[in-house]
Amino acid sequence: MLRALADCNNFFASCERALNPALQGVPIVVLSNNDGCVVARSAEAKALGIPMGAPFFQVRRLCETHGVHVASSNFEVYGDFSNRVMETLAEHARDIEVYSIDEAFMGFPDLTDEQALALGHSIRNDVLARTGITVSIGLAPTQVLCKLANELSKKDPKTSGVYLMPTDRTKRRELLSTIPVDSLWGVGKGTASRLRAYGVVTVADLAEIEPERIRSFAGVVGERLALEVRGVACHGIVEESSPRQSILSSRSFGSPVTDRGDLTEALAHHAFRASEKLRQDGLVAGTIVAFARTNRHREDQEQRNAEAVIHLDPPTHDGRRMAAAITQAMDAMWIPGFQWKRAGVYLADLSSSVVTQPVLPGLGPAEPVQRRKLMEVMDALNAELGKDAVRLASTGLERTWKPKAERLTKLTNKDATADEAKPEGDSRVKRTRIRFHE
DNA sequence: TCTGGGGTCCTAGGACCC
DNA sequence: TCTGGGGTCCTAGGACCC
C-alpha cells in the first residue's frame, strides 16, 4: 500500500494570512496561549531568525523592528480551517487518519511513481484552491518514511511540495545514509544517544541492523522504527477513532494568582471545560485531578505543585458535580503564600457514558435526569451563542485570572458566512484524535 | 515584568495471588 | 547462613509528539 502524509505549511500563520490577505508577504508570528511563546512562523518570520518556541518577550524587539504581524492563537478558527483541509484530503484518499490539527496520513492502492507524484500534486493544488492553505506531501510505503519524505519536500524547493521516497532500493539506501537517525519521527534525545552508542548514526544504519538486536537496546519502539525505515509498515492507517484515555484542561494565568477564591474559580472553570469535552465524546470520568503550579521559571521563588485527586463514584460527565467536588477539595489542596502561575483539571478513568449495567433496585440511575438535561441545555446554548455564553456561577464573573490574548484577530462578517458554508453531518472524515499542538 | 497546552505509549517496579 | 517461582494488575514516570 502506498501512503502519504499531508502536512500544512506554517499552519497557524497560514490561517492568519488566509483570514487577512493584506498579510501577503508580511512576516507573521502566532503566539501560544497567554501570549507566551512563538508557536508558528511564516516563511518570512523564519527568515528573520525568530526561533520556534521562543518566549515572546525575547523576540518582541526583533518583531517590532521588522514589522512582524503578531497574533494570539485562535484555535476555533484554526479548527475550522483544519476541518476544511481534512475534508478535501478525504475526497482524494481511500483511507485517512487525521493525526493532528494540521496533518493527516492517507492510504492509496499501489501506484506507479508517475501516478503517485501526479496524485500528490493534484491533492496539493486542490487543498490550496479550496482553503488557501499550502500543504506538503510525502509519499512512501510506511508512516515513518512518509514523515521523512514530507520533510524532504519542505526542504527542497525543486520538489514543489511533493516528494516520493525512492522506490529503487539502491537509491533509497543512498538517500537514507545521508540522514541522521535523530531526525526520525519518534527519535528524541534519549533514543538518539542510545542508538549512537550502538553505532547507529544514520537512518540507513537503522534500516540495516537486525530488528531483534535493536530491541535489546532500544526496546519495541526501536524495533518498530527499524522495520518502518525498511519499508515494513507497523502503523496502520487508523480510520476508527480510538476512545480517548484522558482529558486535560489547563491554562497559565495572565498574572500570578494568590487568592484562594480566584484559584477555586479557575479550577471550577477547567472542570467544566473538561466536562464539555467528556460529553462531546459520550464519556464519563471516574477520577478528577485538580492541580496548581507555581512559575517554574522563577528560580528565586520556592516551587510548589498543589494537587487534589478526587474519585467520582459513580463516574460522571456532570460539570456541576465536578466543580462542586473541586470546591470541596480546596480545603485539602490550598496552600497560602504562593504565587500560582498555572492551574488545571485532568480527567482519567474514562469510560462510555452509555449505561450498560441494569439499574439496581433502590439505587436509581447513575445520573439524575434533571442534571443531564441541564448539561445538555448548557451545551446547546453554548454551541449556538458561543463558548461560555452560559456558565456556572462558581466559575466566576470577573475572571481576573484569565490568560492574556491581546492580539486576537478580529473576525469579519465575511468569515462568519464562510463558517456557515461549512459542510455538516455526514462528512466522510471521521475525526480521530485532534490534538491542538505546537 | 514577560517563558503554552494538549496527548499517547512504554517500562520498571511494587502489590498481590497461587 | 539458607528462605520458590511464576503470573497479573496497577501506577508513576520517562520519552516523545504536535
Side-chain angles (χ1 to χ4, degrees):
Chain A
M1 183 167 90
L2 178 68
R3 291 155 204 257
L5 172 65
D7 187 315
C8 301
N9 296 1
N10 318 322
F11 183 52
F12 299 164
S14 302
C15 293
E16 293 293 338
R17 183 169 284 155
L19 284 178
N20 181 0
L23 294 177
Q24 212 54 243
V26 177
I28 303 171
V29 147
V30 179
L31 302 180
S32 65
N33 275 302
N34 213 28
D35 293 346
C37 295
V38 172
V39 292
R41 306 156 295 158
S42 70
E44 301 82 358
K46 286 178 187 171
L48 288 173
I50 298 169
M52 180 67 173
F56 179 56
F57 71 88
Q58 286 176 4
V59 295
R60 175 178 231 137
R61 288 293 290 278
L62 187 62
C63 290
E64 284 165 2
T65 310
H66 293 89
V68 176
H69 176 83
V70 180
S72 300
S73 45
N74 190 338
F75 286 102
E76 282 185 58
V77 167
Y78 308 153
D80 283 344
F81 274 99
S82 174
N83 285 336
R84 278 156 48 203
V85 170
M86 299 307 168
E87 276 151 14
T88 307
L89 294 177
E91 286 177 25
H92 289 272
R94 189 177 68 182
D95 309 303
I96 180 166
E97 177 190 6
V98 177
Y99 182 74
S100 75
I101 194 170
D102 74 340
E103 59 191 318
F105 288 101
M106 294 176 280
F108 306 100
D110 280 323
L111 299 171
T112 66
D113 288 5
E114 291 73 29
Q115 288 171 327
L117 284 169
L119 176 66
H121 283 290
S122 82
I123 293 174
R124 183 177 141 100
N125 292 339
D126 197 20
V127 173
L128 181 61
R130 287 158 69 170
T131 66
I133 302 291
T134 306
V135 292
S136 293
I137 294 184
L139 295 142
T142 70
Q143 297 196 356
V144 170
L145 289 177
C146 280
K147 199 81 184 176
L148 213 50
N150 192 285
E151 278 162 33
L152 292 167
S153 79
K154 285 193 165 127
K155 252 182 228 157
D156 185 355
K158 285 200 296 288
T159 64
S160 309
V162 179
Y163 185 83
L164 172 68
M165 187 57 61
T167 40
D168 178 80
R169 279 183 174 276
T170 321
K171 270 196 189 151
R172 190 191 292 181
R173 176 180 303 184
E174 206 173 289
L175 171 73
L176 297 185
S177 68
T178 65
I179 300 173
V181 74
D182 57 1
S183 62
L184 275 182
W185 186 43
V187 176
K189 270 195 338 215
T191 311
S193 70
R194 222 167 308 138
L195 288 173
R196 267 197 306 274
Y198 284 83
V200 179
V201 179
T202 68
V203 179
D205 295 338
L206 187 61
E208 276 152 33
I209 196 166
E210 278 302 311
E212 277 130 48
R213 244 201 88 208
I214 286 276
R215 189 169 189 156
S216 68
F217 62 86
V220 296
V221 176
E223 188 182 4
R224 275 205 290 260
L225 269 171
L227 286 166
E228 284 255 330
V229 294
R230 283 181 169 207
V232 181
C234 300
H235 308 282
I237 302 283
V238 187
E239 256 207 300
E240 291 302 308
S241 54
S242 44
R244 70 158 129 194
Q245 319 206 358
S246 63
I247 288 174
L248 181 67
S249 171
S250 77
R251 284 287 181 279
S252 294
F253 297 123
S255 50
V257 162
T258 54
D259 178 72
R260 174 171 163 163
D262 286 344
L263 181 59
T264 311
E265 268 181 24
L267 288 172
H269 167 72
H270 288 300
F272 193 79
R273 280 205 40 200
S275 79
E276 287 177 329
K277 297 186 198 175
L278 267 181
R279 293 192 294 276
Q280 245 172 40
D281 285 15
L283 298 169
V284 289
T287 304
I288 309 182
V289 183
F291 63 87
R293 310 227 158 106
T294 48
N295 186 344
R296 64 195 165 94
H297 299 288
R298 289 291 295 264
E299 283 171 14
D300 57 320
Q301 292 181 346
E302 196 189 340
Q303 298 295 309
R304 201 69 133 223
N305 290 346
E307 199 178 271
V309 182
I310 306 160
H311 294 284
L312 298 159
D313 190 21
T316 188
H317 54 203
D318 179 353
R320 255 192 344 173
R321 206 176 126 202
M322 292 184 187
I326 284 174
T327 308
Q328 277 189 350
M330 280 306 282
D331 280 338
M333 184 179 162
W334 173 249
I335 313 167
F338 285 90
Q339 302 203 351
W340 305 105
K341 176 62 185 164
R342 185 174 160 228
V345 166
Y346 177 81
L347 303 181
D349 294 334
L350 307 188
S351 54
S352 164
S353 62
V354 179
V355 183
T356 49
Q357 285 177 326
V359 177
L360 296 174
L363 287 183
E367 208 66 69
V369 174
Q370 304 103 304
R371 286 204 180 187
R372 221 175 46 222
K373 282 257 150 76
L374 174 66
M375 289 299 127
E376 278 169 21
V377 169
M378 288 183 77
D379 290 342
L381 284 172
N382 285 333
E384 184 70 30
L385 303 172
K387 219 160 126 190
D388 262 353
V390 278
R391 56 211 215 194
L392 300 180
S394 61
T395 65
L397 297 170
E398 299 290 322
R399 295 191 167 176
T400 49
W401 40 268
K402 268 200 318 249
K404 279 187 290 193
E406 290 167 350
R407 300 156 184 272
L408 267 183
T409 303
K410 285 221 183 77
L411 297 184
T412 63
N413 290 333
K414 194 167 135 268
D415 301 317
T417 49
D419 191 56
E420 279 164 21
K422 220 169 39 179
E424 282 185 40
D426 63 338
S427 141
R428 275 216 309 150
V429 186
K430 284 195 197 130
R431 304 307 301 273
T432 53
R433 296 177 291 268
I434 306 301
R435 300 171 202 143
F436 295 96
H437 75 102
E438 281 210 352

